[in-house]
Amino acid sequence: MKLAIGFIVLCVALYVGATNKCPETTYAVPETPSGDAIPGSVLARLDFIDRKLLELQVALKDHRAEVSRNFSVLQDRSKSRIPDFATAPASPRQPDTTKTISKTTQPTSCKEVSSHVSGVYEIRVNNSNSLLEVYCEQNKFGGGWIVVQYRFNGSIDFYRNWDEYRDGFGNVDSEFWLGLEKMHQITKSRTYELIVELKDFSGNYAYARYNAFEIGSQSEQYRLKRLGRHSGTAGDSMTLYNKGAEFSTKDRDINDPYSGAVYYEGAWWHTTSGSYSNLNGLYQNVSSHKSMFWFHFKNTDDGLSFSRMMIREQ
């Protein structure tokens, strides 16, 4: 109100001292008789100014209320976006233990992965601190499967040497071979089962399932140490010739020239007696022992368009 009184006094002084300087064109103010102690026009103007000041005060009060409401809304929105620092490091100078913590809480198999979405995950092998990137099939056959071999378009050359089959090659979200050493580390301390999925170039699908699967160490030539009971729709093309056999590659072919990896042009658990399967053979739509085939699928050596090997902890 001090501001309002000061403003009124100023206008009165201006009007008395210099009437012609007060604005008279904007508002029409009625005149009063000239005999008044204070001219009527001055009183009218004072009344007009007082009303305008009251209006300004009301408008200012409403504006402040609106600003206060908007500020409260902004505060609420900001709080919803602020991260929870309760779990963050107390200081940026402290060591980052995220990786150490994640390793100790990492699943040890695809069966322990909480997500039901198939994709690439990291698992902790044999309770060690080393993490292994694998592709988990989380939908088919109840989920929880680690894919160890995958072929579907022939984009990757599978006729490779011992070191490559030991270490693995390709990409886990495309065509690939996981690696014999990784398969050994995964299966050596826990019981795993195996599923082999197949599809021919006409689109016919079948699968073979074994309730036990274990790979030996490199010193054992990654021997197929365990292969359990068979079930499924593709027939059993591994038990007779491949169970118990050592792994064979083109540069480490322990078998004779007519029954090993060179003869089949595919690294596998071949034996001197031959093989009913060659899933790492040539990707071709040809009936040949060099093709990627599973004999008891259709009792032929016809090449396959799709092959996927998956293991799961029991």
Side-chain angles (χ1 to χ4, degrees), residues 40-90:
S41 59
V42 173
L43 292 175
R45 287 183 179 278
L46 290 177
D47 183 62
F48 172 76
I49 291 170
D50 189 56
R51 282 187 284 108
K52 286 298 178 182
L53 287 174
L54 289 175
E55 292 176 1
L56 288 172
Q57 286 180 335
V58 173
L60 180 60
K61 183 178 179 181
D62 293 340
H63 178 70
R64 286 176 177 172
E66 180 68 21
V67 170
S68 179
R69 286 194 297 270
N70 292 337
F71 184 72
S72 298
V73 172
L74 290 174
Q75 279 188 318
D76 293 339
R77 292 179 179 177
S78 298
K79 288 179 181 179
S80 64
R81 297 175 184 174
I82 294 175
D84 183 7
F85 291 102
T87 58

Side-chain angles (χ1 to χ4, degrees), residues 63-225:
H63 178 70
R64 286 176 177 172
E66 180 68 21
V67 170
S68 179
R69 286 194 297 270
N70 292 337
F71 184 72
S72 298
V73 172
L74 290 174
Q75 279 188 318
D76 293 339
R77 292 179 179 177
S78 298
K79 288 179 181 179
S80 64
R81 297 175 184 174
I82 294 175
D84 183 7
F85 291 102
T87 58
S91 169
R93 295 182 181 179
Q94 292 183 351
D96 182 8
T97 59
T98 303
K99 293 183 179 179
T100 304
I101 294 173
S102 66
K103 287 180 180 180
T104 59
T105 58
Q106 206 76 16
T108 57
S109 70
C110 288
K111 195 173 183 179
E112 294 183 2
V113 172
S114 58
S115 173
H116 297 293
V117 178
S118 299
V120 180
Y121 297 90
E122 286 185 333
I123 63 173
R124 187 163 45 90
V125 181
N126 293 329
N127 295 318
S128 67
N129 286 329
S130 60
L131 297 180
L132 175 63
E133 189 176 72
V134 297
Y135 188 95
C136 296
E137 171 55 58
Q138 300 295 81
N139 302 118
K140 299 196 66 176
F141 301 102
W145 297 91
I146 300 173
V147 181
V148 299
Q149 187 250 33
Y150 190 28
R151 305 185 70 183
F152 60 93
N153 61 8
S155 60
I156 296 294
D157 179 17
F158 270 69
Y159 194 41
R160 297 177 180 246
N161 61 34
W162 178 267
D163 290 347
E164 291 173 296
Y165 268 94
R166 177 194 63 205
D167 301 334
F169 54 85
N171 298 312
V172 293
D173 55 353
S174 182
E175 288 201 335
F176 73 97
W177 173 263
L178 183 62
L180 291 165
E181 182 60 32
K182 297 169 187 173
M183 294 162 66
H184 164 64
Q185 293 296 330
I186 292 172
T187 61
K188 73 176 184 178
S189 58
R190 300 186 182 186
T191 301
Y192 274 76
E193 58 181 320
L194 168 71
I195 275 188
V196 178
E197 291 186 291
L198 309 166
K199 189 181 295 184
D200 64 17
F201 280 91
S202 298
N204 299 306
Y205 171 86
Y207 74 93
R209 187 168 186 169
Y210 299 88
N211 66 357
F213 178 78
E214 182 184 350
I215 302 297
S217 65
Q218 180 168 214
S219 62
E220 298 173 293
Q221 304 300 313
Y222 295 118
R223 183 167 60 92
L224 184 53
K225 294 181 70 172

